[in-house]
Each structure stands twice: as structure tokens, then as C-alpha cells.
Amino acid sequence: MQTHMAQAAALAIYGNAFLSGRCGTPENTLAPSTLTFCEYVKFVEVTRRPANRNENPFAQNPADWVCRLKADGVQAIRIAHSPTPGIQSAPEHMLAGFAGGGGAWRLETIKGKTADHWLSRWEIGNQDHPDRKIWRVTYGRVAQDRPVTPTQWPDLDVLKRRLVKNLSEIAAFAKRQKLGHFAAVFKNGLDCLGSRPLPQNLFHQDLISSPCLPHSAAQLLAAIQSAWVFGGMGSWNDLGFDDEAQPVYDRLSAELYELLTAALESATNTSMPRQA
């Protein structure tokens, strides 16, 4: 899973834990693993005028952000994925590893019947940073007081069954094509969906340990990390076939991408208080 996705999920999951009183301190409102390569993560209000675009400081870090949200009466944080508009040169999953591809992950901070929308911007800073903290991340509040669409609480078991079917098929496909590394990746994702306890070797292990998450949601978040293969050169997206295997590869890959993005959105949003 790409870091910007994991970080958006962490902000929602741990932010909901704080807003609902299930997490005692604001310092615990972000999975530290999602900050590993970030110089900073800050929050701004975006205002647009005919001649320019201004960014006014809102919070200097995630802890300050959730404290201010709580003071403003925010009850919950939700994430939502939407395809990248205007990109038609290739399917969405083929562009996921490139700048501008893979769609947008929006954070919605909900207060009553309205919500504010936040989008992130990731910029490379000092590439020689001694701790490899090269990313400068800014979340901008790009819309305010938008009507809240009712939360559709998903059936995670149905999503898990669909993902089990796809991962089983795509692992078998990879094995037939003698792509042992990818077959093992898909098998690892499959194992996460039936695992109790959950695996202990994930990079974003802290993403699945929040008290806000039901076990099925944590399983899905573990499977996403294990089975995410969408990137640039050398990734699953970089493969091609000359025979009847190509349409099978295309179908299974597009379905896997759709299921993993749906799983990230659905599993993360189970952390929301049910009354929100």
C-alpha cells in the first residue's frame, strides 16, 4: 500500500479513536509508521480568490489537527476514494504508481449534517535528509460545510469473500505464468483474511492495532498491505502477455485494484462512531 493511502487511513482511524474518547492523548492519533519518511505533516485552510490561491495555517501536526477538530465540534473522520478526473490513457490501476494517478483520497471531517473536505499534497524536500525524511506533506481544507452523504456501513464479510476469490484466482494465474514472487504476495494477502492473530511483520503494523477496528477490518487492512502490487517499473503493472493470458491478467488486476481500494475505504470507516 502506498504511504499516502496508509497515512490518510491512519488519520481517520486514530482521529476517530481520539474524537470518540477511545484514545487518551492526541499524540496517539497517527500511526508512527506513516510518518517514517515525512519531514512534516501540516494542515492549512485553502482560500481561492480570482487572482490567487492562499493557504492559511490550521494545525502544525496531526495532534494539533485532531485537537482543533474536537474543539470545533467535529464528531468523526471519514475517508473517500474517487478516480482521478480526466485520465483516460489507461485503466486506473495501471496509473496507480505514478503522480496524478490512482485517484484521490479525501478526508471528510463530519460535524452534524455537514463536512469539511481535506486533500493532501506530497512534495519532495531535502533528498539528503539524514533520516530519509524527504516528504513534506500538507493537508488542505479545500471545501467547507458540504452536505454529508449518509454513511453506508459495508458488510465486511461480503468484501472479504470477494477478495478471497480474486486473490485465489490471481495467485493461481501468477503461478501458471511462473511468477513465483507475485504468487507468494497474493498468497500472503489471502492468508491475512483468515488470520487470527494477525501477522506481525507488516510495515504499517500500527495501522491495524487501533481499538476502533473490528477484527474483520484489521484483516482487510493487513491484506491490502500484503497484496498491494500496483506501482511503476518492475511492479505487477509492468507485466504484459502475448497470448490469451493478457485478458485474464487485465480482468483480475482491475478487479483486485477495485477490491483493495474499496476495502481500504470500508475498513477504515468502521472506526467512525456509529452515531456520526
Side-chain angles (χ1 to χ4, degrees), residues 206-239:
D206 44 10
L207 190 63
I208 64 175
S209 59
S210 169
C212 289
L213 294 174
H215 185 71
S216 56
Q219 286 178 314
L220 284 168
L221 290 170
I224 297 164
Q225 293 186 59
S226 298
W228 187 267
V229 291
F230 303 104
M233 187 175 295
S235 72
W236 180 256
N237 285 357
D238 205 27
L239 301 176

Side-chain angles (χ1 to χ4, degrees), residues 36-231:
T36 302
F37 303 111
C38 296
E39 180 183 339
Y40 60 71
V41 177
K42 66 180 182 179
F43 301 80
V44 300
E45 294 182 274
V46 178
T47 58
R48 291 183 176 87
R49 294 184 177 135
N52 57 17
R53 177 182 188 270
N54 293 324
E55 296 184 355
N56 302 313
F58 185 89
Q60 289 301 307
N61 53 61
D64 290 348
W65 182 62
V66 293
C67 283
R68 182 159 179 186
L69 293 180
K70 190 167 188 175
D72 289 346
V74 169
Q75 301 157 309
I77 305 169
R78 180 169 66 188
I79 66 166
H81 176 261
S82 55
T84 304
I87 294 181
Q88 300 177 345
S89 59
E92 186 81 12
H93 70 277
M94 295 296 290
L95 301 170
F98 301 95
W105 289 93
R106 180 177 71 251
L107 288 168
E108 299 178 2
T109 52
I110 300 170
K111 181 171 61 175
K113 296 182 179 180
T114 64
D116 296 345
H117 294 178
W118 302 77
L119 292 175
S120 67
R121 181 179 70 235
W122 290 64
E123 300 173 301
I124 294 179
N126 178 12
Q127 297 189 59
D128 298 320
H129 194 289
D131 297 324
R132 297 189 295 166
K133 293 183 178 293
I134 66 170
W135 290 105
R136 296 172 177 173
V137 186
T138 304
Y139 286 83
R141 184 162 67 179
V142 296
Q144 292 182 254
D145 300 324
R146 293 294 177 88
V148 176
T149 55
T151 300
Q152 299 296 316
W153 299 103
D155 188 331
L156 296 188
D157 289 333
V158 170
L159 193 52
K160 281 174 58 179
R161 286 195 294 271
R162 291 183 62 200
L163 196 50
V164 165
K165 181 177 183 295
N166 174 271
L167 286 172
S168 299
E169 292 180 6
I170 202 168
F173 172 85
K175 191 173 182 179
R176 289 196 302 272
Q177 301 302 318
K178 303 188 186 311
L179 299 169
H181 166 69
F182 287 112
V185 167
F186 298 134
K187 177 63 165 54
N188 287 340
L190 194 58
D191 289 344
C192 290
L193 296 173
S195 178
R196 186 183 285 274
L198 292 166
Q200 299 295 312
N201 60 346
L202 301 173
F203 184 78
H204 297 298
Q205 191 72 35
D206 44 10
L207 190 63
I208 64 175
S209 59
S210 169
C212 289
L213 294 174
H215 185 71
S216 56
Q219 286 178 314
L220 284 168
L221 290 170
I224 297 164
Q225 293 186 59
S226 298
W228 187 267
V229 291
F230 303 104

